[in-house]
Amino acid sequence: MIEDKNQTRTSLSELGEFGLINHLTKNFKLQHKSTIKGVGDDAAVLDLKDKQVLVTTDFLVEGVHFDLSYMPLKHLGYKAIMVNLSDVYAMNGDASQITVSIAVSNRFPLEALEELYEGIQLACKTYAIDLVGGDTTSSTKGLLISVTAIGSIKKKDVVYRNTAKQNDLLVVSGDLGASYLGLQVLEREKQVFKVNPNSQPDLTAYTYLIERQLKPEARKDIVKLLKDLNVKPTAMIDISDGLSSEILHICTQSKVGCNVYEEKIPLDPQVIATCEEFELNSTTVALSGGEDYELLFTISQEDFPKIKGNPHLTVIGHITQESEGVNLVTRANQQIKLTAQGWNALAKED
Ligand code: ADP
Ligand code: MG
């Protein structure tokens, strides 16, 4: 053991691979009857009965998807799980198991991985998920995490991206753009810190933004809310890349067009204030920011009274026929074609 002031650093080589896996996973409790066998054999065994199985994977790479200079490892563990659960919920499904694979360089002591797994464990507890396996290996540089989430759903309840219909309403949960701005704030502080390591940043004006970036929540609650309201979306996707890009996925795959109203896009007051400070257009941020992990879905007009006035849901547009294209209707009542990057101000349409 190397004593680092009052921080203990245990080299991973002291434990060996099996010791490490055992150490990291021993406190995870299995919560699902469907988990017949979890960690410890060649493969996990699940019994999802007569339901359809949902499987989704995401890869997170240090330096590409996260920066450990401002992302605490516990948050990273939590977020890695959220990113995956969000995809299961976007199918209207129920997530029940995950596998977690990590590749780590010898730069990381055991204590770092313990922190990472604390975040993973908190996510598993909060969302009732069983950790049932994974893989552990070394990397020459940096940390890589791949998570696979497994869920299930009754065949009649699955919601795909490609089934939006003309005249459906386009609805989004929560609010948009905060996570992107949180990242901008953290990046700015990192630069300030580089110049002056003694600076004491006051981040109280940005707490919501930073929380959305560092500790996003997958919207399991929205899937339940829709069930309780007896609303089955006609199409659904989660917002990982930005509202604009996700609307285009739904529209392209469903072969429909859409009008989205700028004035309807839900924004938190901190998003509005921080956009002014950074001289950013809040609509652009909401459309292209990404990492919101909100749900974007379409519903039949008949279902509108069931969601009307719900504080978690906002109708932001409606589905049109394919030939009308995918447009943002601005506050000035101009129609602008949406692109995956947000909108192209040069491609104005009259
Ligand atoms: P194998 O060599 O057969 O692939 P491993 O030694 O990699 O088996 O894994 C042993 C057990 O530990 C398996 O159940 C595997 O799923 C699990 N496991 C390995 N790495 C991790 C990890 N990072 N997190 C959770 N479970 C893990
Ligand atoms: Mg293995």
Side-chain angles (χ1 to χ4, degrees), residues 193-223:
F193 184 80
K194 269 190 194 163
V195 179
N196 177 10
N198 295 319
S199 65
Q200 290 285 331
D202 178 10
L203 299 176
T204 45
Y206 315 111
T207 46
Y208 179 65
L209 312 180
I210 292 170
E211 178 164 325
R212 293 280 284 173
Q213 169 60 217
L214 295 185
K215 193 172 179 284
E217 302 288 349
R219 299 308 307 257
K220 180 182 183 174
D221 59 327
I222 298 295
V223 173

Side-chain angles (χ1 to χ4, degrees), residues 17 134-136:
E17 188 186 333
D135 200 16
T136 308

Side-chain angles (χ1 to χ4, degrees), residues 17-18 20-22 24-25 28 37-44 98-102 117 120 131-137:
E17 188 186 333
F18 299 111
L20 174 63
I21 295 168
N22 182 45
L24 293 176
T25 60
F28 282 75
K37 182 79 191 180
V39 171
D41 213 308
D42 296 309
I98 51 162
T99 64
V100 174
S101 298
I102 51 173
Y117 269 74
I120 294 172
L131 174 69
V132 297
D135 200 16
T136 308
T137 188

